[in-house]
Amino acid sequence: MTARVLNGKELAEQVRATVRAGVADFVKAHGRAPGLDVIIVGEDAASVVYTRNKEKAALEVGMRGNLHRLPAQTGEAELLAIILRLNDDPSVDGILVQLPLPKHIDSDKVILAIDPSKDVDGFHPVNAGQLAIGRADRALVPCTPRGCMKLLALAGTPLAGARAVVIGRSNIVGKPVAQLLLAEHATVTIAHSRTRDLPAVCREADVLIAAVGKPEMVRGDWVKAGAVVIDVGINRVSDSANPGKTRLVGDVAYDEAAERAGAITPVPGGVGPLTIACLLENTLLSAKRRAG
Ligand code: NAD
């Protein structure tokens, strides 16, 4: 069997087009564009690119995007003061603080300071709690997990009663995607670094989601025939075909897994593009809710 490739780039374009239309309607109704404020502290190269892309994506769909680039030595109190100012600013619908933060800043404190109704990353305990009690409709749900669910919808996988295995238990991906699968009535196992006989656990899965950060850890013979495989991992490895160069791979050994899976996401071009598209969706949703 050769798996169907789930094209995240194309799907993300569709999501962005829908958001663009929603933004135009919002502007007509409320006389202002939804606003996304992105804060980065320090100069981590990958984070700088991610935050620029987020600001750019907001502008492209007609939102007001604002990138706050703060020096690495910015103090915690200063960052918190900026967040409180944005919380109080009615033109701001989404506040995103790029993680990781420098070590001298307590990320938990920063996340707690964001108004939950503007927490477009969905990391505030109020949003995580709403999701955990089955009220995703009241929450802002983290973007990458939402992207995974859109890819599963594209695959057409029936989730009710299906066995889903999520590898990884982070607050950003593993736990929230497990909650979303549970809300769709899947039987969910969350596997992690202490899971015994992980390959055997994975072989049970009709839906396998890998969010680990270990290049090509999931081998082809871990995949049940016909399963849907969603690869969240983004790992940069040296490219043996091009000495001195690097390439991106996921947490799944793609070629091997594609031999057995029914559908699979590539890396790059799978989950990645949906993360920013879902961030835009969350910002529009926040704007609409806050406008009543
Ligand atoms: P994390 O480091 O916070 O969590 C990794 C999880 O993997 C942990 O829960 C850990 O228990 C588990 N784990 C580690 N080693 C394991 C092993 N040997 N066997 C089983 N489980 C193991 O990472 P994260 O933030 O959840 O991100 C995971 C991956 O997803 C990373 O590669 C990250 O770059 C990527 N990511 C991609 C996007 C995207 O937009 N596509 C967004 C967020 C994260």
Side-chain angles (χ1 to χ4, degrees), residues 144 167-170 172-174 191-194 198 210-214 217 232-235 251 271-272 275:
T144 302
I167 322 174
R169 56 176 161 183
S170 71
I172 294 173
V173 189
H192 46 78
S193 52
R194 308 280 181 91
L198 184 59
V212 185
K214 298 244 182 291
M217 183 186 83
V232 182
I234 301 177
N235 309 289
D251 290 342
V271 176
T275 297

Side-chain angles (χ1 to χ4, degrees), residues 200-216:
V201 172
C202 293
R203 270 181 221 119
E204 297 270 301
D206 304 306
V207 171
L208 181 59
I209 301 198
V212 185
K214 298 244 182 291
E216 301 179 325

Side-chain angles (χ1 to χ4, degrees), residues 122-201:
F123 297 161
H124 192 287
V126 165
N127 284 315
Q130 294 283 19
L131 180 60
I133 64 166
R135 291 310 305 254
D137 58 313
R138 291 186 190 156
L140 286 165
V141 176
C143 304
T144 302
R146 272 166 31 84
C148 293
M149 297 308 285
K150 285 185 192 295
L151 286 158
L152 288 174
L154 176 69
T157 331
L159 294 175
R163 285 200 155 227
V165 172
V166 178
I167 322 174
R169 56 176 161 183
S170 71
N171 292 333
I172 294 173
V173 189
K175 280 189 203 134
V177 83
Q179 299 283 3
L180 290 171
L181 288 162
L182 197 57
E184 294 298 328
H185 315 292
T187 300
V188 185
T189 300
I190 304 178
H192 46 78
S193 52
R194 308 280 181 91
T195 297
R196 256 184 260 136
D197 199 356
L198 184 59
V201 172

